[in-house]
Each structure stands twice: as structure tokens, then as C-alpha cells.
């Protein structure tokens, strides 16, 4: 479905790399029914066919059948371009994005990610960030799931400190979980303090953890860093676990069953 906040003045971007994602197709059809402005973004599939049939704008992202999770930066860049062309974002936004891509230090991120993967080991990653950066924590969590084939979870501060933090009172669980904090000076000062206090508390209970610095000059730097970090840390963990980072057999099994 579509969010309840959608009005006739909304712009709906329906993005699915395969073009066959069930919930994206459903949202697109609902947008067309409601006569809301809709744009489709995919590499083909049913979404392209529907866009052609309904004569709605279509953005093609054809990367020769790569795993959908590796298309995120391409689709994100297209979205930024779309918003710039629509005068929703200033023209400088796309220039900033291109500059961030050009200047990213892939080697440093890879080294940090590989080191973090070794620290995670056989533990379950818990990725924490501010609510503002929670989509980035979620992307890293997804990479752990799909590439390394493990459970991983993400949550936002301060919310997790009202409930989830209580789980750390069981000191024996330090063998099972590995917290990863995404820290940014541009977050509210209380978030930084909450991360520091939480880190001190779990240290006293013998938990090991990583604090990842996201103190970059603009939001595009933070996004691109997180995409690379999440990819590399989960890739290295997959290698350590002798897992194929590309294959997603459980997801494919689910899709096959849903088609019956």
C-alpha cells in the first residue's frame, strides 16, 4: 500500500531493481489508481511493463543481473538526479554526490571493514546509530543478512536505550553479540554522550564492540561510506564463514513458494 500521508500532490517513486518486487508493484498500482504522480525505477520486469502500459515515467537501471543490493548506489544516484531535475533538491546536490564518489577512500574503508569482520567473528552484529542515520545502520544490517548469511539487527538511539539495552545485563551474552556504533558529531550532542555511556557500561560487562566514525563533511559522504563499509564487512565475514556472498537460496526458495 501507500503511506497514509500521500495526497494528490505527492510524487511516488516505485523502485525495484528486478522490477518484480511484490510490494513495489502493489504500491505502483495503487498510485496509478489514486492518480498520484508515479515514477518507476527498475531493470525491467513487470514494473517496466506497467510503466509502459500506463505511460508513466520510467528510469531504467540495467546492470546486467547483478545482485539487487549492489545496485543501491546506482539507484540512489538516479533518485538524486531525479530530485534535482524536479527542483526538489538544489543543483549542487548532484555535484556533491559526484564529488563524494570521486573522493571516497575505498582502501581505508576496506581495511576497517575487514578488521571489524574479524572482531565480529561468530557473534551476531547489533548496529546502532541515531534515528537520523538509522537507514545507514539498516543497510549494514541487511548486508550481514544477505552476504554473510547471518542474523543481524539494527536499532536507533535513544530508543534502544529505553528497552533493548537491558539485554546487556546478561553478561554471559557477550559471547553472542557484537555491537557496532555509527557515531557522527552532527547528531544531537546527547546522542554522542549516550553512545559513550553505553559503551562504558557494556565494557564493564566484558562486551567488545566497534565505534565507526561518520564525521564526514556532507550526508553523501556518510551514505557512500556506509554502503562500502557494509559491503566489505559482510563480504569478509562471508569469506571467513566459507559462504557464497552472492547466492541467496533461502530468499529464492521463499519467492518460488509464493508463486505457487
Amino acid at each position: 500500500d501507500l503511506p497514509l500521508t500521500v495526497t494528490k500532490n505527492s510524487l511516488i517513486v516505485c523502485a525495484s531493481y528486478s522490477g518484480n518486487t511484490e510490494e513495489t508493484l502493489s504500491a505502483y498500482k495503487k498510485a496509478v489508481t489514486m492518480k498520484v504522480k508515479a515514477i518507476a525505477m527498475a531493470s525491467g520486469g513487470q514494473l517496466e511493463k506497467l510503466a509502459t502500459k500506463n505511460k508513466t515515467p520510467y528510469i531504467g537501471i540495467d546492470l546486467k543481473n547483478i545482485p539487487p543490493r549492489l545496485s543501491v548506489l546506482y539507484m540512489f544516484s538516479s533518485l538524486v538526479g531525479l530530485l534535482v531535475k524536479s527542483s526538489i533538491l538544489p543543483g549542487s546536490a548532484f555535484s556533491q554526490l559526484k564529488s563524494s564518489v570521486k573522493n571516497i577512500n575505498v582502501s581505508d574503508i576496506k581495511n576497517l571493514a575487514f578488521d571489524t569482520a574479524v572482531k565480529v567473528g561468530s557473534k551476531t552484529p547489533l548496529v546502532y546509530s541515531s534515528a537520523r542515520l538509522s537507514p545507514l545502520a539498516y543497510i549494514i544490517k541487511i548486508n550481514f543478512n544477505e552476504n554473510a548469511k547471518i542474523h543481524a539487527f539494527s536499532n536507533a538511539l535513544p530508543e534502544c536505550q529505553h528497552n533493548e539495552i537491558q539485554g546487556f545485563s546478561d553478561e554471559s551474552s557477550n559471547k553472542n553479540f557484537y555491537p557496532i556504533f555509527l557515531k557522527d558529531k552532527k547528531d544531537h550532542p546527547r546522542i554522542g554522550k549516550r553512545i559513550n555511556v553505553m559503551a562504558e557500561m557494556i565494557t564493564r560487562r566484558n562486551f567488545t564492540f566497534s565505534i565507526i566514525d561518520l564525521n564526514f563533511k556532507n550526508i553523501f559522504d556518510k551514505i557512500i561510506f556506509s554502503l562500502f563499509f557494509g559491503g566489505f564487512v559482510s563480504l569478509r565475514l562471508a569469506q571467513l564463514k566459507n559462504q557464497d556472498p552472492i547466492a541467496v537460496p533461502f530468499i529464492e526458495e521463499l519467492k518460488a513458494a509464493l508463486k505457487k
Side-chain angles (χ1 to χ4, degrees):
D1 210 340
L2 295 176
L4 296 176
T5 53
V6 169
T7 69
K8 296 292 184 181
N9 295 321
S10 297
L11 173 63
I12 307 299
V13 181
C14 298
S16 162
Y17 181 70
S18 68
N20 296 316
T21 306
E22 184 178 22
E23 55 269 36
T24 307
L25 293 172
S26 177
Y28 173 84
K29 292 174 183 177
K30 186 67 177 290
V32 171
T33 299
M34 292 177 63
K35 297 183 178 180
V36 178
K37 292 179 181 177
I39 295 176
M41 184 187 299
S43 65
Q46 291 298 312
L47 193 55
E48 180 183 16
K49 293 178 180 178
L50 286 171
T52 301
K53 175 183 177 181
N54 293 297
K55 298 181 179 179
T56 54
Y58 172 75
I59 300 173
I61 311 289
D62 189 358
L63 300 172
K64 307 304 179 186
N65 297 316
I66 67 170
R69 55 194 175 280
L70 295 184
S71 71
V72 173
L73 184 54
Y74 295 92
M75 298 184 78
F76 176 74
S77 300
S78 297
L79 180 59
V80 172
L82 167 65
L83 296 179
V84 168
K85 289 290 186 180
S86 302
S87 299
I88 296 172
L89 286 179
S92 60
F94 203 73
S95 297
Q96 288 181 358
L97 174 59
K98 289 194 291 185
S99 177
S100 295
V101 171
K102 181 179 179 180
N103 295 327
I104 196 75
N105 192 321
V106 177
S107 179
D108 283 353
I109 300 174
K110 183 177 181 180
N111 291 335
L112 174 62
F114 276 29
D115 179 63
T116 304
V118 172
K119 294 176 181 177
V120 172
S122 60
K123 298 178 181 179
T124 298
L126 307 172
V127 190
Y128 295 113
S129 71
S130 65
R132 181 175 71 97
L133 298 180
S134 59
L136 302 185
Y138 186 66
I139 282 177
I140 295 171
K141 171 253 192 233
I142 287 173
N143 275 275
F144 278 123
N145 296 150
E146 295 193 75
N147 293 338
K149 315 296 186 287
I150 62 171
H151 283 299
F153 303 93
S154 65
N155 207 335
L157 283 82
E159 174 59 26
C160 71
Q161 295 183 339
H162 297 306
N163 36 65
E164 184 171 322
I165 193 174
Q166 192 60 46
F168 291 100
S169 62
D170 179 6
E171 186 172 331
S172 66
S173 68
N174 59 28
K175 302 179 184 65
N176 303 323
F177 297 100
Y178 189 84
I180 298 173
F181 297 94
L182 305 184
K183 192 174 184 180
D184 181 9
K185 288 181 179 179
K186 292 189 177 180
D187 281 331
H188 192 286
R190 294 291 293 180
I191 297 296
K193 183 170 184 177
R194 283 177 174 272
I195 289 176
N196 292 339
V197 172
M198 185 173 174
E200 291 172 3
M201 292 173 64
I202 65 176
T203 296
R204 292 198 298 270
R205 291 160 178 82
N206 297 312
F207 283 86
T208 56
F209 58 88
S210 291
I211 296 180
I212 306 300
D213 183 4
L214 290 185
N215 295 322
F216 301 104
K217 65 180 181 180
N218 65 56
I219 191 62
F220 294 129
D221 292 337
K222 303 178 202 296
I223 292 171
I224 295 169
F225 172 91
S226 299
L227 288 173
F228 275 87
F229 177 79
F232 279 130
V233 69
S234 57
L235 172 63
R236 181 55 179 155
L237 198 58
Q239 292 172 338
L240 293 173
K241 294 170 62 65
N242 294 317
Q243 291 284 350
D244 179 356
I246 299 298
V248 283
F250 219 79
I251 294 174
E252 296 302 329
E253 180 182 340
L254 173 68
K255 289 180 179 179
L258 290 172
K259 288 180 180 180
K260 295 180 180 178

